[in-house]
Amino acid sequence: MSGTTKGVLVTGAQQGIGAAAARGFAAAGYDVAVNWLDDRAAAEALAAEVAALGRRAVLVQGDVGTAAACAALVDAAVAGLGRIEVLVNNAGIFPRVPFLEMTEAEWDRVLDVNLKGSAFCAQAAARHMVAAGIRGTILNLSSSAVRGAVFGVHYSATKNGVIGLTRSMALALAPHGIRVNAIAPGLTDTAQPRHGNSEAELAEMAKALPLGRMGRPEEIAGLMTWLASDAGAWVTGQVYHINGGAYMA
């Protein structure tokens, strides 16, 4: 770290991988803008954890489903921290629905949050970085569901879209020294896989993985902080599959 404190904005940080990312970046010396949607108590508890690590935390409430909301939450993060070197596009939703029953409204909502939200949060953050002369990092969350999801056709479509978005943004932003990479987690110990699966079913799914267990959110966060560090300075436009060996690409 340099003498200037760095800032990170983590979207969807009130729980799971997003919360782990906030903790991981705080431990790495970053001040953290914690974006939350509907659980202020969880966001405040996370901010207290960041403070306990000796870093500042600002709470930024907002839904990433519109371009205007994305711009507003990036503006709020910059106002609170002074600058952001890293954006973690973590916010996402996965409402399960059989394909033959999926409505246009359900399709639109998932694409708005998962894909449009990632694009326009990145655009707003990149505009700030370019204006401030920051050679920053954008990290987009994809998923092992790029291989397909029986009850998540809309979700799988967005997570494949995130990969194309990542590669194209990496090319567009390289002249500004901004690196863009994607992380595609597999079965991770968060609330998300528990939707529709019992603990026994999760245990069986975990045992079927080559490494025999679910991933931990902090393991995903560890890859994020490495990609944002000087050690990852020559890495852009890449997709990192972190899934216990379930999918080897």
Side-chain angles (χ1 to χ4, degrees), residues 30-234:
Y30 286 75
D31 290 339
V32 184
V34 175
N35 166 242
W36 61 283
L37 177 63
D38 56 8
D39 191 341
R40 185 178 185 90
E44 289 177 342
L46 179 60
E49 291 184 67
V50 170
L53 291 167
R55 307 310 330 161
R56 287 190 303 139
V58 297
L59 299 183
V60 182
Q61 196 278 335
D63 184 328
V64 302
T66 68
C70 291
L73 71 89
V74 169
D75 285 346
V78 172
L81 298 182
R83 54 191 280 134
I84 55 173
E85 275 77 8
V86 179
L87 166 68
V88 178
N89 263 326
N90 171 75
I93 58 174
F94 186 178
R96 274 68 166 178
V97 60
F99 176 60
L100 296 179
E101 299 173 16
M102 184 178 64
T103 66
E104 182 179 5
E106 288 169 327
W107 170 271
D108 287 346
R109 177 59 178 161
V110 173
L111 265 71
D112 282 349
V113 173
N114 296 6
L115 190 55
K116 184 168 74 175
S118 293
F120 283 97
C121 283
Q123 183 190 67
R127 285 174 172 171
H128 158 68
M129 293 173 188
V130 170
I134 296 170
R135 301 173 72 85
T137 300
I138 296 171
L139 299 171
N140 298 321
L141 267 290
S142 182
S143 167
S144 62
V146 294
R147 301 175 68 192
V150 174
F151 295 106
V153 170
H154 43 8
Y155 180 80
S156 181
T158 63
K159 293 306 182 178
N160 276 283
V162 163
I163 291 174
L165 180 70
T166 297
R167 290 169 175 160
S168 297
M169 290 196 307
L171 293 173
L173 297 175
H176 302 286
I178 298 171
R179 298 184 297 106
V180 188
N181 291 290
I183 298 172
L187 183 66
T188 306
D189 192 4
T190 66
Q192 197 251 61
R194 288 183 165 80
H195 183 81
N197 293 300
S198 69
E199 290 298 318
E201 289 169 332
L202 282 175
E204 286 301 311
M205 292 163 64
K207 285 196 325 188
L209 297 174
L211 291 184
R213 64 172 177 83
M214 286 195 287
R216 296 186 291 269
E218 57 268 27
E219 291 173 315
I220 314 300
L223 179 56
M224 292 180 187
T225 55
W226 182 85
L227 284 168
S229 74
D230 290 343
W234 208 45

